[in-house]
Amino acid sequence: MSLHPSDKRLDEYAALLIRIGLGLRPGMTLVLSCPVDCAPFARKCAAAAYDAGCREVVMSWRDDALSRMKFLHADDAIFDTTAEWQKQFFNGYAEQGAAYLAIAASDPMNLHGVDPDRIQRSTRAGGRDLRPFYDAQMGNRFPWCIASVPIPSWAKKVFPDLPEEEAMDALWQAIFDAVRVNGRGDAVSAWQEHLARLERLTDTLNTLRFARLHYTNSLGTDFTVALPEGHIWQSGADRTADGHVFVANMPTEEIFTAPDRNSGNGTLVASMPLVHDGNVIRGIRFTVRDGKITEACADEGEEVLRAAIAVDEGASYFGELALVPTDSPVSRQGILFFQTLFDENAACHIAFGEAYPCLENAARMTREERIAHGLNDSITHVDFMIGTPDMHITGITQDGKEIPVFRNGNFAL
Ligand code: ZN
Ligand code: ZN
């Protein structure tokens, strides 16, 4: 942390994550996952949590250097297993309904050159052994929030021309701008206003119940996609079953739903590079027929792209449509963060792979029923940006009426 530890914005940010991100209630336990490099900020989050009446803050420390070492040198067999204590830790706290705050800060290139098979097997083992945790998280059975703070390796990737200290300060400033923290103490009220605005737009889209969307811009995107019957647009705040409101991603600017997996047709051209498993893919162009990516080209990283959409059957179909205006604070900065948490809030995006259950009654449906309703199924979910300042999106209603949703990169609703 190169900012002065007494910088007011640090306390304001920590308090924002605890109060708006998690909506932490007195008596709750907080599981805090954080890189060791960011310990000073973790302490600020813990202080804000105890301030809010937290029962206990439990730490889960991580480290880029140690995880890279493990992927390079550990015994090959360990990538198919998860330690017993880890299962008990994550699954146990999830079952208790403990709040979960993840500080995501990583060198985007940390796993560059690591055997991709080890990464995939380890992801698969985690997905299997920590299933109770992930199911509870995706089912909003506990409040959770993912946020970020700078570390030097990441800051240097974002600002390669600046010396390390200055790069750190520049990334702090970019993050504070993105999460509406300015040191004047009004971040919480700014977020309440922001979330209310997202909710109004979401309500409008849910009332319109479009049958299809049509995207166009001068980069060459010309894409039509259908929305499943009973689809719901979602944004900003989430709720647990007992009405506990939390914000899973900070920042968040998107309003999103799931497409009908078999319906997309046309051309999609990415407007930003995609950072995937330590690789940068530039100049992505997809040709799509009946929902499936039939042609995947890129100016750089084409092989990585082709491998990413071939992970399983569902990886070459789409699972998310997200609307992000170019007047959002992340978008206005024009910075490539090399981290999805920020970059996906810079532009309209689409994800290939797993669909979010953005469907009426999805919580009561089996996986098979969701697929039958048009939701995509995959072990992967990768967002890529398509939004530009000249993007138009038109909604087509059930009775064929055309309504502007986006004009010139911003909401027209
Ligand atoms: Zn998204
Ligand atoms: Zn996504």
Side-chain angles (χ1 to χ4, degrees), residues 109 157 160 269-276 279-285 296-305 336 338:
M109 299 294 121
K157 181 79 191 164
V269 182
S271 55
M272 286 168 74
L274 166 65
V275 183
H276 186 65
N279 297 284
V280 181
I281 311 171
R282 293 178 201 272
I284 297 174
R285 291 176 308 280
C297 310
D299 298 332
E300 187 187 323
E302 190 171 285
E303 270 172 44
V304 183
L305 181 66
L336 180 63
F338 294 91

Side-chain angles (χ1 to χ4, degrees), residues 212-216 222-225 392-396 407:
R212 275 175 299 142
L213 294 180
H214 181 204
Y215 294 72
T216 51
D222 188 345
F223 181 68
T224 310
V225 65
H392 294 335
I393 304 172
T394 300
I396 297 124
R407 284 296 173 262

Side-chain angles (χ1 to χ4, degrees), residues 234-359:
Q234 294 181 7
S235 69
D238 281 296
R239 264 172 199 80
T240 62
D242 62 348
H244 185 130
V245 178
F246 64 98
V247 180
N249 287 344
M250 300 215 49
T252 183
E253 305 289 334
E254 62 176 341
I255 297 175
F256 60 95
T257 192
D260 180 330
R261 79 188 286 272
N262 298 312
S263 74
N265 274 295
T267 305
L268 285 167
V269 182
S271 55
M272 286 168 74
L274 166 65
V275 183
H276 186 65
D277 284 350
N279 297 284
V280 181
I281 311 171
R282 293 178 201 272
I284 297 174
R285 291 176 308 280
F286 286 136
T287 307
V288 186
R289 291 282 167 265
D290 299 329
K292 188 177 171 65
I293 300 169
T294 53
E295 240 184 280
C297 310
D299 298 332
E300 187 187 323
E302 190 171 285
E303 270 172 44
V304 183
L305 181 66
R306 293 217 168 125
I309 61 165
V311 166
D312 60 12
E313 159 79 12
S316 58
Y317 290 82
F318 298 120
E320 177 191 350
L321 304 172
L323 306 175
V324 181
T326 50
D327 64 8
S328 83
V330 180
S331 177
R332 276 198 306 256
Q333 298 190 55
I335 297 170
L336 180 63
F337 282 85
F338 294 91
Q339 208 211 48
T340 306
L341 180 64
F342 294 92
D343 291 328
E344 75 163 340
N345 287 303
C348 284
H349 55 273
I350 295 185
F352 54 84
E354 178 76 354
Y356 292 121
C358 300
L359 209 57

Side-chain angles (χ1 to χ4, degrees), residues 5 38 149 321 361:
C38 310
V149 299
L321 304 172
N361 302 320

Side-chain angles (χ1 to χ4, degrees), residues 354-377:
E354 178 76 354
Y356 292 121
C358 300
L359 209 57
E360 280 164 6
N361 302 320
R364 265 170 275 144
M365 287 181 193
T366 61
R367 186 160 274 261
E368 288 67 31
E369 285 170 325
R370 285 183 207 162
I371 297 170
H373 277 81
L375 293 195
N376 194 26
D377 177 60

